[in-house]
Amino acid sequence: MRVARVLVPLAVAGMVLAGCGDRTAGGATWSAPSAPAGNGVADLTADEILAKATAALDKAGSFQIKGQAREDGTTMSVDLKVQGKDLVGTIDMGSSTIQTLLVGGQPYFKADEAFWKENGGPQGAGLAQLVGDRWVKVSPKDEDFANVFKLGDPDEILKPDGKVSKGASTSIDAGPVITLIDKSDQSKLYVATTGEPYPLLTEDPDKQGKLVFSGFGDSFPEIKKPDAQDVIDFSKL
């Protein structure tokens, strides 16, 4: 559940592609509904709680993830909206930004000028000018890009790096939770103990990396196929 493990593939995939051719979640708050009765997950084992949280996120059908991680001195942040198997998101890597979009199984990405210049080699400036503000269409079979879109899969998002243990019951901004601890790195996942057992927050031990989950069941109209004139095929770069 280490936050950097979730975010790093986004940055790495973007760099591989380029070579071929409130953003801080720490203070995020939202209003929880009036307190319903306990949902019983606090009495379950760690593995059972994790399974319940994963199933609840999948059942919600849509959700939003917003947060940040620090890796090798670089702070990355993400704002990702998932609806069914589709998603749209923005990844900020400090000096450059990538937008990602998956609609009907077709992946796209859009990078700013700084990204192309930093990662496109001698042709970076030319690529930035060629692509402009258009979406880059990528083959669904492109394995370099595949990891980006695994972030829409609840099983992948909540997958621990090691064995999970059960921690204390506590409260966060979103309400009462039970804590799950990944023994491999001591990162934490907080699962709601009232209402649906949604995962509400993941947190690295040093609290430098956090992912906030919200928007369960929301509709995201911005997840839509871009117009043809706004798309360029990656194979043509």
XYZ file of all heavy atoms in Angstrom, residues 35-146:
817
model
N -23.549 9.995 11.081
C -22.943 8.730 11.472
C -23.940 7.580 11.490
O -24.872 7.569 12.290
C -22.317 8.882 12.849
N -23.766 6.609 10.596
C -24.609 5.411 10.620
C -24.050 4.404 11.622
O -23.012 4.642 12.235
C -24.497 4.887 9.187
C -23.128 5.327 8.747
C -22.860 6.636 9.453
N -24.742 3.297 11.749
C -24.279 2.256 12.669
C -23.000 1.640 12.148
O -22.685 1.718 10.959
C -25.362 1.195 12.816
N -22.223 1.043 13.053
C -20.990 0.389 12.648
C -21.257 -0.697 11.622
O -22.304 -1.353 11.644
N -20.304 -0.894 10.716
C -20.497 -1.885 9.652
C -19.886 -3.243 9.970
O -19.956 -4.163 9.153
C -19.957 -1.352 8.321
C -18.483 -0.955 8.401
O -17.737 -1.472 9.239
N -18.060 -0.045 7.539
N -19.256 -3.366 11.125
C -18.754 -4.668 11.569
C -17.354 -5.027 11.115
O -16.798 -6.031 11.588
N -16.729 -4.240 10.248
C -15.420 -4.640 9.738
C -14.329 -4.587 10.818
O -13.333 -5.305 10.721
C -14.980 -3.788 8.525
C -15.909 -4.001 7.352
C -14.872 -2.332 8.885
N -14.514 -3.769 11.829
C -13.499 -3.657 12.880
C -13.302 -4.972 13.629
O -12.262 -5.185 14.263
C -13.861 -2.549 13.860
N -14.291 -5.851 13.554
C -14.206 -7.146 14.248
C -13.594 -8.245 13.381
O -13.377 -9.361 13.858
C -15.610 -7.582 14.700
C -16.234 -6.615 15.692
O -15.483 -6.059 16.517
O -17.459 -6.415 15.636
N -13.297 -7.926 12.125
C -12.764 -8.926 11.209
C -11.242 -8.983 11.273
O -10.598 -8.136 11.888
C -13.207 -8.601 9.780
C -14.712 -8.499 9.533
C -14.979 -8.101 8.082
C -15.409 -9.813 9.860
N -10.674 -9.991 10.617
C -9.217 -10.082 10.524
C -8.714 -9.049 9.514
O -9.491 -8.497 8.720
C -8.774 -11.473 10.067
O -9.212 -11.677 8.710
C -9.365 -12.557 10.958
N -7.412 -8.816 9.503
C -6.826 -7.846 8.585
C -7.113 -8.199 7.131
O -7.514 -7.337 6.324
C -5.318 -7.741 8.813
N -6.927 -9.463 6.779
C -7.170 -9.882 5.398
C -8.637 -9.737 5.023
O -8.965 -9.364 3.887
C -6.724 -11.332 5.197
C -5.210 -11.489 5.199
O -4.512 -10.486 4.947
O -4.730 -12.603 5.452
N -9.525 -10.029 5.959
C -10.955 -9.893 5.690
C -11.341 -8.428 5.506
O -12.164 -8.095 4.645
C -11.755 -10.515 6.837
C -11.693 -12.042 6.887
C -12.318 -12.617 8.138
O -12.409 -11.892 9.163
O -12.726 -13.794 8.115
N -10.741 -7.546 6.299
C -11.024 -6.111 6.173
C -10.561 -5.600 4.812
O -11.270 -4.845 4.136
C -10.340 -5.320 7.302
C -10.928 -5.701 8.657
C -10.488 -3.814 7.072
C -10.148 -5.163 9.840
N -9.368 -6.012 4.409
C -8.832 -5.585 3.114
C -9.725 -6.074 1.978
O -9.997 -5.339 1.018
C -7.416 -6.116 2.933
C -6.694 -5.680 1.652
C -6.590 -4.164 1.566
C -5.301 -6.316 1.589
N -10.210 -7.294 2.084
C -11.102 -7.846 1.058
C -12.411 -7.063 1.010
O -12.936 -6.775 -0.078
C -11.382 -9.319 1.336
N -12.936 -6.707 2.177
C -14.174 -5.927 2.241
C -13.972 -4.548 1.616
O -14.835 -4.039 0.884
C -14.617 -5.779 3.690
C -15.172 -7.042 4.338
C -16.616 -7.263 3.933
C -17.237 -8.403 4.718
N -18.652 -8.656 4.323
N -12.844 -3.916 1.910
C -12.565 -2.585 1.370
C -12.423 -2.631 -0.146
O -12.934 -1.754 -0.861
C -11.298 -2.026 2.003
N -11.743 -3.642 -0.649
C -11.560 -3.791 -2.085
C -12.895 -4.011 -2.780
O -13.180 -3.411 -3.822
C -10.610 -4.964 -2.389
O -9.365 -4.752 -1.710
C -10.347 -5.082 -3.878
N -13.736 -4.869 -2.186
C -15.051 -5.145 -2.765
C -15.941 -3.906 -2.739
O -16.687 -3.643 -3.692
C -15.716 -6.292 -2.002
N -15.864 -3.123 -1.662
C -16.681 -1.910 -1.555
C -16.283 -0.888 -2.609
O -17.141 -0.235 -3.220
C -16.546 -1.307 -0.155
N -14.975 -0.744 -2.843
C -14.490 0.206 -3.848
C -14.929 -0.227 -5.240
O -15.341 0.593 -6.061
C -12.967 0.306 -3.769
C -12.318 1.475 -4.512
C -12.824 2.809 -3.991
C -10.801 1.406 -4.388
N -14.883 -1.520 -5.491
C -15.309 -2.053 -6.785
C -16.812 -1.858 -6.970
O -17.276 -1.451 -8.036
C -14.942 -3.531 -6.860
C -15.235 -4.127 -8.231
O -14.777 -3.563 -9.232
O -15.932 -5.158 -8.291
N -17.570 -2.097 -5.910
C -19.029 -1.966 -5.960
C -19.456 -0.516 -6.165
O -20.474 -0.238 -6.813
C -19.631 -2.513 -4.669
C -21.156 -2.459 -4.617
C -21.666 -2.992 -3.289
C -23.185 -2.861 -3.191
N -23.662 -3.350 -1.860
N -18.681 0.432 -5.652
C -19.029 1.848 -5.784
C -19.154 2.258 -7.241
O -19.940 3.138 -7.592
C -17.986 2.716 -5.082
N -18.365 1.632 -8.109
C -18.454 1.915 -9.534
C -17.659 3.124 -9.981
O -17.218 3.202 -11.120
N -17.496 4.085 -9.084
C -16.688 5.267 -9.400
C -16.130 5.833 -8.102
O -16.701 5.662 -7.029
C -17.523 6.319 -10.121
O -18.572 6.790 -9.296
N -14.982 6.515 -8.226
C -14.337 7.105 -7.054
C -13.233 8.031 -7.528
O -12.856 8.039 -8.708
C -13.772 6.031 -6.121
C -12.846 5.047 -6.787
C -11.471 5.268 -6.839
C -13.338 3.886 -7.376
C -10.614 4.366 -7.451
C -12.493 2.965 -7.998
C -11.130 3.214 -8.034
N -12.702 8.808 -6.602
C -11.601 9.724 -6.903
C -10.450 9.457 -5.944
O -10.656 9.179 -4.760
C -12.057 11.180 -6.766
C -10.978 12.205 -7.123
C -11.507 13.631 -7.147
O -12.664 13.876 -6.806
N -10.674 14.569 -7.563
N -9.224 9.535 -6.464
C -8.018 9.416 -5.649
C -7.209 10.689 -5.821
O -6.943 11.109 -6.951
C -7.132 8.226 -6.081
C -7.937 6.937 -6.138
C -5.951 8.061 -5.135
C -7.170 5.785 -6.757
N -6.826 11.276 -4.724
C -6.027 12.497 -4.796
C -4.941 12.422 -3.737
O -5.217 12.106 -2.581
C -6.913 13.723 -4.571
C -6.233 15.046 -4.862
C -7.232 16.189 -4.761
C -6.581 17.521 -5.133
N -7.551 18.645 -5.069
N -3.698 12.711 -4.130
C -2.640 12.639 -3.135
C -1.272 12.905 -3.707
O -1.125 13.394 -4.829
N -0.256 12.539 -2.912
C 1.105 12.812 -3.331
C 2.062 11.798 -2.732
O 1.740 11.090 -1.775
C 1.537 14.217 -2.917
C 1.693 14.426 -1.424
C 2.223 15.815 -1.111
O 2.024 16.755 -1.867
N 2.884 15.950 0.020
N 3.240 11.727 -3.320
C 4.304 10.857 -2.824
C 5.637 11.509 -3.129
O 5.760 12.299 -4.060
C 4.233 9.483 -3.483
N 6.627 11.180 -2.333
C 7.970 11.691 -2.562
C 8.900 10.516 -2.814
O 8.973 9.588 -2.017
C 8.446 12.506 -1.357
C 9.768 13.244 -1.607
C 10.022 14.297 -0.529
N 11.265 15.024 -0.761
C 11.401 16.031 -1.605
N 10.349 16.446 -2.295
N 12.555 16.642 -1.752
N 9.600 10.558 -3.934
C 10.485 9.463 -4.338
C 11.755 10.052 -4.922
O 11.716 10.853 -5.855
C 9.781 8.578 -5.377
C 10.561 7.331 -5.761
C 10.424 6.203 -4.759
O 9.747 6.373 -3.730
O 11.020 5.145 -4.998
N 12.913 9.662 -4.354
C 14.215 10.134 -4.845
C 14.273 11.657 -4.928
O 14.799 12.236 -5.882
C 14.512 9.532 -6.224
C 14.648 8.016 -6.173
O 15.075 7.502 -5.123
O 14.316 7.359 -7.170
N 13.717 12.305 -3.927
C 13.786 13.754 -3.852
C 12.769 14.494 -4.688
O 12.734 15.726 -4.680
N 11.931 13.759 -5.418
C 10.922 14.394 -6.267
C 9.529 14.157 -5.694
O 9.181 13.032 -5.347
C 10.973 13.819 -7.696
O 12.253 14.072 -8.260
C 9.895 14.459 -8.571
N 8.765 15.222 -5.586
C 7.390 15.102 -5.114
C 6.461 14.980 -6.306
O 6.478 15.814 -7.207
C 6.982 16.315 -4.266
O 7.820 16.386 -3.109
C 5.533 16.195 -3.811
N 5.683 13.921 -6.331
C 4.701 13.696 -7.379
C 3.316 13.772 -6.770
O 3.111 13.356 -5.633
C 4.898 12.328 -8.027
C 6.213 12.163 -8.748
S 6.438 10.459 -9.319
C 6.692 9.617 -7.751
N 2.373 14.285 -7.527
C 1.000 14.318 -7.044
C 0.066 13.824 -8.130
O 0.393 13.870 -9.323
C 0.615 15.734 -6.596
O 0.735 16.652 -7.654
N -1.092 13.336 -7.711
C -2.047 12.763 -8.654
C -3.461 13.152 -8.249
O -3.773 13.282 -7.066
C -1.917 11.222 -8.711
C -2.243 10.588 -7.376
C -2.802 10.635 -9.808
N -4.280 13.363 -9.253
C -5.711 13.545 -9.065
C -6.372 12.672 -10.114
O -6.333 12.973 -11.311
C -6.104 15.016 -9.252
C -7.562 15.271 -8.885
O -8.309 14.297 -8.687
O -7.955 16.454 -8.814
N -6.926 11.543 -9.686
C -7.420 10.525 -10.600
C -8.892 10.247 -10.323
O -9.292 10.051 -9.178
C -6.613 9.234 -10.418
C -6.954 8.056 -11.325
C -6.488 8.338 -12.746
C -6.298 6.775 -10.812
N -9.695 10.231 -11.386
C -11.114 9.919 -11.276
C -11.396 8.654 -12.072
O -11.001 8.542 -13.233
C -11.958 11.081 -11.791
C -11.788 12.356 -10.965
C -12.528 13.531 -11.581
C -12.308 14.799 -10.747
N -12.950 15.986 -11.371
N -12.063 7.709 -11.431
C -12.328 6.400 -12.024
C -13.835 6.188 -12.113
O -14.563 6.448 -11.154
C -11.700 5.278 -11.182
C -12.016 3.908 -11.788
C -10.198 5.479 -11.044
N -14.278 5.727 -13.265
C -15.695 5.399 -13.442
C -15.784 4.110 -14.236
O -15.478 4.084 -15.424
C -16.414 6.535 -14.169
C -17.924 6.378 -14.196
C -18.610 7.689 -14.571
O -18.498 8.688 -13.873
N -19.320 7.683 -15.695
N -16.163 3.027 -13.562
C -16.146 1.724 -14.204
C -14.717 1.361 -14.575
O -13.814 1.392 -13.741
N -14.481 1.044 -15.830
C -13.137 0.734 -16.308
C -12.468 1.943 -16.966
O -11.365 1.842 -17.499
C -13.194 -0.447 -17.292
C -13.643 -1.748 -16.647
C -13.559 -2.897 -17.618
C -14.028 -4.206 -16.981
N -13.205 -4.590 -15.823
N -13.164 3.077 -16.968
C -12.630 4.302 -17.551
C -12.034 5.192 -16.472
O -12.396 5.084 -15.287
C -13.730 5.072 -18.286
C -14.304 4.299 -19.465
O -13.620 3.390 -19.963
O -15.445 4.604 -19.863
N -11.151 6.090 -16.878
C -10.572 7.012 -15.906
C -9.999 8.238 -16.598
O -9.743 8.243 -17.795
C -9.490 6.321 -15.070
C -8.241 5.747 -15.760
C -7.201 6.826 -16.011
C -7.622 4.638 -14.923
N -9.803 9.276 -15.809
C -9.124 10.479 -16.261
C -8.299 10.981 -15.083
O -8.712 10.857 -13.926
C -10.118 11.556 -16.748
C -10.998 12.058 -15.613
C -9.385 12.717 -17.412
N -7.117 11.497 -15.359
C -6.285 11.937 -14.242
C -5.197 12.893 -14.653
O -4.869 13.028 -15.837
N -4.649 13.560 -13.658
C -3.530 14.471 -13.851
C -2.409 14.068 -12.914
O -2.637 13.853 -11.720
C -3.943 15.925 -13.553
O -5.007 16.301 -14.431
C -2.766 16.871 -13.756
N -1.210 13.946 -13.455
C -0.034 13.599 -12.658
C 0.958 14.742 -12.751
O 1.399 15.087 -13.843
C 0.632 12.297 -13.144
C -0.377 11.153 -13.184
C 1.805 11.928 -12.241
C -0.882 10.861 -14.557
N 1.284 15.317 -11.633
C 2.236 16.426 -11.569
C 3.549 15.900 -11.007
O 3.586 15.375 -9.897
C 1.680 17.538 -10.675
C 2.512 18.801 -10.740
O 3.745 18.700 -10.857
O 1.931 19.896 -10.646
N 4.625 16.029 -11.790
C 5.926 15.522 -11.363
C 6.875 16.636 -10.957
O 8.084 16.507 -11.013
C 6.532 14.668 -12.475
C 5.741 13.408 -12.740
S 6.392 12.414 -14.103
C 5.918 13.428 -15.500
N 6.301 17.761 -10.548
C 7.105 18.867 -10.080
C 7.403 19.864 -11.178
O 6.911 20.988 -11.169
N 8.184 19.436 -12.160
C 8.553 20.345 -13.251
C 7.740 20.108 -14.509
O 7.831 20.873 -15.469
C 10.041 20.185 -13.576
O 10.324 18.848 -13.954
N 6.965 19.047 -14.545
C 6.150 18.757 -15.718
C 4.878 18.026 -15.305
O 4.777 17.500 -14.199
C 6.923 17.917 -16.739
O 7.317 16.680 -16.172
N 3.921 17.998 -16.226
C 2.607 17.427 -15.928
C 2.138 16.534 -17.068
O 2.350 16.829 -18.237
C 1.575 18.547 -15.712
O 2.004 19.396 -14.648
C 0.207 17.977 -15.358
N 1.487 15.424 -16.701
C 0.884 14.510 -17.666
C -0.595 14.341 -17.313
O -0.946 14.203 -16.150
C 1.546 13.120 -17.641
C 3.024 13.205 -17.975
C 0.856 12.181 -18.631
C 3.730 11.864 -17.841
N -1.436 14.328 -18.329
C -2.838 13.969 -18.144
C -3.066 12.605 -18.783
O -2.486 12.305 -19.831
C -3.756 15.003 -18.796
C -3.659 16.387 -18.184
C -4.550 17.368 -18.902
O -5.767 17.191 -18.970
N -3.947 18.406 -19.473
N -3.875 11.780 -18.152
C -4.161 10.455 -18.678
C -5.666 10.298 -18.853
O -6.458 10.872 -18.110
C -3.645 9.349 -17.740
O -4.269 9.488 -16.451
C -2.145 9.420 -17.588
N -6.034 9.490 -19.830
C -7.450 9.266 -20.128
C -7.621 7.857 -20.678
O -6.848 7.421 -21.538
C -7.927 10.296 -21.165
C -9.366 10.181 -21.675
C -10.365 10.455 -20.559
C -9.600 11.149 -22.837
N -8.595 7.149 -20.156
C -8.926 5.818 -20.655
C -10.436 5.770 -20.867
O -11.204 5.933 -19.921
C -8.501 4.745 -19.650
C -8.833 3.295 -20.017
C -8.056 2.867 -21.257
C -8.526 2.355 -18.859
N -10.846 5.567 -22.116
C -12.273 5.522 -22.456
C -12.535 4.325 -23.361
O -11.923 4.193 -24.423
C -12.720 6.811 -23.175
C -14.204 6.727 -23.508
C -12.453 8.040 -22.325
N -13.414 3.439 -22.915
C -13.750 2.274 -23.729
C -12.561 1.413 -24.070
O -12.506 0.819 -25.146
N -11.601 1.334 -23.175
C -10.419 0.515 -23.403
C -9.324 1.199 -24.196
O -8.250 0.620 -24.381
N -9.559 2.419 -24.676
C -8.557 3.142 -25.456
C -7.837 4.161 -24.567
O -8.447 5.068 -24.022
C -9.215 3.873 -26.620
C -8.266 4.747 -27.434
C -7.121 3.967 -28.044
O -7.355 3.045 -28.835
N -5.893 4.311 -27.688
N -6.512 3.997 -24.397
C -5.752 4.944 -23.574
C -5.215 6.129 -24.374
O -4.868 6.010 -25.548
C -4.597 4.088 -23.043
C -4.391 3.031 -24.075
C -5.728 2.801 -24.733
N -5.170 7.268 -23.688
C -4.595 8.492 -24.238
C -3.760 9.159 -23.153
O -3.981 8.925 -21.960
C -5.681 9.490 -24.646
C -6.763 8.993 -25.558
C -7.863 8.310 -25.046
C -6.711 9.234 -26.927
C -8.888 7.875 -25.884
C -7.733 8.816 -27.774
C -8.818 8.129 -27.237
O -9.827 7.710 -28.069
N -2.815 10.004 -23.571
C -2.150 10.854 -22.596
C -1.864 12.208 -23.243
O -1.803 12.346 -24.471
C -0.867 10.219 -22.047
C 0.339 10.344 -22.934
C 1.246 11.389 -22.779
C 0.589 9.406 -23.925
C 2.367 11.503 -23.597
C 1.701 9.505 -24.750
C 2.601 10.559 -24.581
N -1.730 13.201 -22.401
C -1.440 14.558 -22.855
C -0.360 15.113 -21.937
O -0.515 15.107 -20.710
C -2.684 15.433 -22.793
C -2.477 16.845 -23.326
C -3.703 17.724 -23.053
C -4.906 17.288 -23.857
N -6.043 18.266 -23.725
N 0.744 15.575 -22.516
C 1.865 16.087 -21.722
C 2.110 17.554 -22.030
O 1.883 18.007 -23.154
C 3.128 15.276 -22.002
N 2.603 18.279 -21.038
C 2.905 19.685 -21.278
C 4.257 19.833 -21.977
O 5.004 18.861 -22.150
C 2.852 20.494 -19.979
C 3.877 20.051 -18.947
O 4.758 19.222 -19.271
O 3.807 20.535 -17.802
N 4.568 21.050 -22.390
C 5.803 21.318 -23.133
C 7.044 20.932 -22.340
O 8.011 20.380 -22.886
C 5.859 22.798 -23.513
C 7.060 23.171 -24.373
C 7.050 24.633 -24.787
O 6.163 25.370 -24.307
O 7.922 25.037 -25.578
N 7.006 21.204 -21.031
C 8.157 20.881 -20.187
C 8.446 19.387 -20.193
O 9.603 18.967 -20.219
C 7.905 21.371 -18.763
N 7.406 18.575 -20.191
C 7.589 17.122 -20.206
C 8.308 16.675 -21.472
O 9.261 15.906 -21.423
C 6.240 16.422 -20.094
C 6.339 14.927 -20.230
C 6.604 14.133 -19.138
C 6.191 14.311 -21.475
C 6.718 12.746 -19.270
C 6.309 12.941 -21.619
C 6.571 12.158 -20.501
N 7.831 17.139 -22.613
C 8.440 16.720 -23.875
C 9.897 17.167 -23.958
O 10.763 16.432 -24.415
C 7.655 17.284 -25.050
C 6.310 16.667 -25.244
C 5.087 17.264 -25.064
C 6.026 15.312 -25.632
N 4.078 16.385 -25.322
C 4.618 15.171 -25.680
C 6.821 14.218 -25.960
C 3.998 13.979 -26.037
C 6.201 13.027 -26.317
C 4.808 12.918 -26.348
N 10.174 18.372 -23.520
C 11.544 18.890 -23.593
C 12.471 18.136 -22.649
O 13.647 17.921 -22.956
C 11.553 20.381 -23.266
C 10.969 21.251 -24.379
C 11.069 22.729 -24.049
C 10.580 23.584 -25.208
N 10.659 25.039 -24.909
N 11.956 17.719 -21.497
C 12.768 17.008 -20.512
C 13.007 15.560 -20.899
O 14.055 14.992 -20.602
C 12.088 17.046 -19.138
C 12.101 18.416 -18.478
C 11.303 18.430 -17.187
O 10.858 17.334 -16.760
O 11.100 19.511 -16.617
N 12.025 14.943 -21.549
C 12.076 13.502 -21.773
C 12.117 13.082 -23.232
O 12.257 11.897 -23.526
C 10.859 12.836 -21.107
C 10.800 13.120 -19.624
O 11.602 12.605 -18.853
N 9.869 13.972 -19.208
N 12.021 14.039 -24.159
C 11.973 13.679 -25.565
C 13.302 13.701 -26.279
O 13.358 13.559 -27.499
N 14.398 13.874 -25.515
C 15.712 13.889 -26.141
C 15.888 15.070 -27.078
O 15.239 16.109 -26.924
N 16.751 14.937 -28.092
C 17.010 16.039 -29.031
C 15.751 16.502 -29.769
O 15.669 17.636 -30.230
C 18.018 15.434 -30.008
C 18.665 14.325 -29.247
C 17.589 13.758 -28.378
N 14.769 15.590 -29.890
C 13.530 15.924 -30.597
C 12.452 16.468 -29.661
O 11.315 16.698 -30.089
C 12.976 14.687 -31.326
C 13.816 14.207 -32.490
C 15.039 13.426 -32.036
O 14.981 12.710 -31.050
N 16.148 13.587 -32.755
N 12.789 16.678 -28.393
C 11.780 17.069 -27.411
C 11.028 18.328 -27.776
O 9.785 18.363 -27.727
N 11.752 19.371 -28.157
C 11.108 20.638 -28.512
C 10.214 20.461 -29.738
O 9.103 21.021 -29.801
C 12.151 21.720 -28.762
N 10.688 19.669 -30.710
C 9.899 19.415 -31.906
C 8.635 18.632 -31.603
O 7.567 18.905 -32.158
N 8.761 17.642 -30.699
C 7.599 16.855 -30.310
C 6.559 17.732 -29.615
O 5.360 17.610 -29.869
C 8.018 15.714 -29.373
C 8.683 14.506 -30.027
C 9.264 13.580 -28.966
C 7.673 13.756 -30.889
N 7.046 18.614 -28.741
C 6.141 19.509 -28.030
C 5.357 20.366 -29.022
O 4.143 20.571 -28.863
C 6.920 20.392 -27.064
N 6.035 20.841 -30.052
C 5.380 21.684 -31.046
C 4.422 20.865 -31.910
O 3.316 21.318 -32.241
C 6.421 22.367 -31.926
C 5.836 23.350 -32.927
C 6.911 24.093 -33.694
O 8.105 23.791 -33.585
N 6.505 25.085 -34.481
N 4.843 19.650 -32.267
C 4.009 18.787 -33.098
C 2.720 18.383 -32.392
O 1.628 18.450 -32.968
C 4.792 17.526 -33.488
C 4.007 16.425 -34.217
C 3.540 16.925 -35.582
C 4.862 15.173 -34.370
N 2.862 17.966 -31.147
C 1.700 17.469 -30.396
C 0.816 18.619 -29.926
O -0.417 18.548 -29.980
C 2.160 16.622 -29.201
C 0.956 16.183 -28.365
C 2.941 15.404 -29.678
N 1.448 19.681 -29.453
C 0.679 20.813 -28.952
C -0.193 20.414 -27.780
O 0.246 19.717 -26.861
N -1.460 20.790 -27.823
C -2.387 20.513 -26.730
C -3.271 19.310 -27.033
O -4.335 19.144 -26.437
C -3.253 21.753 -26.465
C -3.998 21.655 -25.138
O -3.387 21.198 -24.156
O -5.191 22.024 -25.096
N -2.831 18.465 -27.955
C -3.646 17.312 -28.329
C -3.383 16.096 -27.430
O -2.339 15.983 -26.805
C -3.370 16.937 -29.790
C -3.946 17.924 -30.793
C -3.685 17.490 -32.219
N -2.273 17.597 -32.581
C -1.796 17.285 -33.775
N -2.615 16.824 -34.711
N -0.504 17.427 -34.045
N -4.373 15.202 -27.419
C -4.202 13.922 -26.751
C -3.388 12.995 -27.646
O -3.565 12.992 -28.863
C -5.557 13.263 -26.481
C -6.360 13.904 -25.400
C -7.380 14.797 -25.561
C -6.204 13.711 -24.000
N -7.872 15.176 -24.337
C -7.173 14.523 -23.351
C -5.352 12.941 -23.213
C -7.302 14.576 -21.975
C -5.477 12.994 -21.836
C -6.444 13.793 -21.226
N -2.509 12.216 -27.059
C -1.742 11.215 -27.800
C -2.412 9.859 -27.604
O -2.566 9.386 -26.468
C -0.277 11.166 -27.317
C 0.483 10.085 -28.078
C 0.390 12.521 -27.505
N -2.836 9.257 -28.698
C -3.499 7.958 -28.666
C -2.458 6.851 -28.626
O -1.539 6.815 -29.431
C -4.380 7.810 -29.902
C -5.153 6.511 -29.998
C -5.982 6.493 -31.279
C -6.752 5.203 -31.432
N -7.545 5.196 -32.710
N -2.599 5.945 -27.666
C -1.626 4.875 -27.458
C -2.305 3.520 -27.654
O -3.481 3.342 -27.325
C -1.043 4.952 -26.036
C 0.051 3.912 -25.839
C -0.502 6.338 -25.752
N -1.576 2.561 -28.174
C -2.133 1.222 -28.349
C -2.489 0.610 -26.988
O -1.688 0.667 -26.052
C -1.127 0.310 -29.054
O -1.563 -1.038 -28.999
N -3.679 0.011 -26.861
C -4.059 -0.660 -25.611
C -3.109 -1.794 -25.249
O -3.052 -2.231 -24.101
C -5.462 -1.195 -25.902
C -5.982 -0.308 -26.993
C -4.769 0.002 -27.842
N -2.331 -2.275 -26.245
C -1.393 -3.372 -26.003
C -0.006 -2.876 -25.605
O 0.897 -3.678 -25.370
C -1.289 -4.233 -27.265
C -2.589 -4.915 -27.645
C -2.417 -5.767 -28.902
C -3.723 -6.444 -29.283
N -3.582 -7.288 -30.499
N 0.162 -1.568 -25.530
C 1.460 -0.995 -25.166
C 1.720 -1.257 -23.684
O 1.106 -0.646 -22.812
C 1.462 0.513 -25.442
C 2.858 1.113 -25.319
O 3.606 0.698 -24.407
O 3.186 2.001 -26.121
N 2.641 -2.178 -23.391
C 2.895 -2.580 -22.009
C 3.535 -1.461 -21.186
O 3.385 -1.413 -19.968
C 3.774 -3.831 -21.969
C 3.093 -5.063 -22.571
C 3.945 -6.307 -22.436
O 5.060 -6.202 -21.889
O 3.499 -7.382 -22.896
N 4.270 -0.564 -21.844
C 4.888 0.541 -21.122
C 3.837 1.455 -20.499
O 4.053 2.056 -19.456
C 5.781 1.367 -22.057
C 7.020 0.600 -22.475
O 7.528 -0.182 -21.652
O 7.460 0.772 -23.613
N 2.703 1.545 -21.146
C 1.652 2.445 -20.694
C 0.616 1.743 -19.825
O -0.167 2.379 -19.129
C 0.970 3.063 -21.913
C 0.402 4.436 -21.665
C 1.236 5.516 -21.449
C -0.968 4.638 -21.657
C 0.713 6.780 -21.230
C -1.493 5.901 -21.445
C -0.652 6.972 -21.229
N 0.616 0.405 -19.859
C -0.434 -0.369 -19.180
C -0.496 -0.100 -17.684
O -1.579 -0.052 -17.096
C -0.225 -1.857 -19.441
